[in-house]
């Protein structure tokens, strides 16, 4: 029973790992040209802002793909039944990466519409907008690998993982702010 739950949780963490890597890689590798090229929306605020760069987006999607490929190679043979076949790990990683970066971008779009400046905190949007789209996009690789409880677990766990990771990134000097 306990072993069963633990292995299910391990499966969920392995499933979402490409999204976590996609979300954190741009902090290290992002920069340069912003995706909105400095353009403003009708409300006079930036479309996405300087925190969303083309390089960061590309780095995030690549990280998801890379982690998916690593999992296909190392985790699938260990017998973790997350996807039905090895190839789905790779498409899953790519889709989680693409969904993560799309959700992150839309989160910033909403923050700008709510007049929240780039880099300022927005509770829930900062932690969860990427997860919603990561999960939606991943459906294309693998319809229904997650149960209702699996999705609920990921929302609660991701909130705390994201909050914790950002405090660490702040303390170690990677990020100026702890969110
Ligand atoms: N980043 C990037 N490109 C992206 C996403 C993130 O270059 N597409 C980098 C930026 O350096 C950004 C950092 O990762 O500052 C942290 O990301 P995030 O917290 O999502 O951005 P914020 O700067 O907080 O901007 P926003 O208020 O729009 O969320
Ligand atoms: Mg931020």
């Amino acid at each position: 029973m306990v072993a069963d739950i633990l292995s299910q949780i391990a499966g969920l963490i392995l499933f979402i790992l490409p999204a976590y890597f996609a979300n954190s890689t741009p902090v290290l590798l992002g920069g340069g040209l912003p995706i909105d090229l400095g353009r403003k929306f009708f409300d006079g605020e930036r479309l996405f802002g300087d925190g969303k760069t083309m390089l960061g987006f590309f780095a995030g999607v690549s990280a998801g793909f890379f982690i998916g490929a690593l999992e296909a190679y190392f985790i699938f043979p260990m017998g973790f039944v997350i996807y039905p076949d090895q190839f789905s790990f790779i498409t899953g990683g790519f889709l989680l990466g693409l969904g993560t970066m799309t959700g992150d971008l839309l989160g910033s779009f909403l923050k700008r519409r709510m007049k929240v400046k780039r880099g300022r905190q927005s509770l829930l949007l900062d932690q969860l907008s990427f997860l919603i789209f990561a999960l939606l996009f991943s459906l294309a690789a693998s319809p229904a690998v997650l149960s209702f409880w699996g999705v609920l677990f990921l929302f609660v766990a991701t909130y705390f993982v994201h909050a914790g990771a950002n405090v660490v990134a702040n303390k170690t000097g990677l990020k100026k702010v702890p969110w």
Side-chain angles (χ1 to χ4, degrees), residues 3-15 71-72 74-86 88-89 145:
D4 208 53
I5 292 174
L6 285 180
S7 107
Q8 290 215 18
I9 289 177
L12 284 167
I13 292 169
L14 288 169
F15 168 83
E71 289 192 333
F74 292 107
I75 301 297
F76 184 77
M78 285 167 57
F80 270 102
V81 189
I82 302 167
Y83 299 112
D85 59 90
Q86 208 162 10
S88 302
F89 270 91
V145 285

Side-chain angles (χ1 to χ4, degrees), residues 128 131 151-161:
L128 298 178
L131 181 65
V151 173
L152 189 66
F153 172 84
L154 286 179
F155 269 92
V156 176
T158 300
Y159 184 87
F160 290 105
V161 169

Side-chain angles (χ1 to χ4, degrees), residues 36 38-49 109-110 112-115:
D36 65 10
R39 275 193 281 257
K40 291 182 170 147
F41 201 58
F42 303 111
D43 54 9
E45 301 288 335
R46 286 284 292 278
L47 203 50
F48 306 120
F109 178 79
L110 291 177
R112 301 300 90 83
R113 305 292 73 77
M114 297 188 302
K115 312 272 180 211

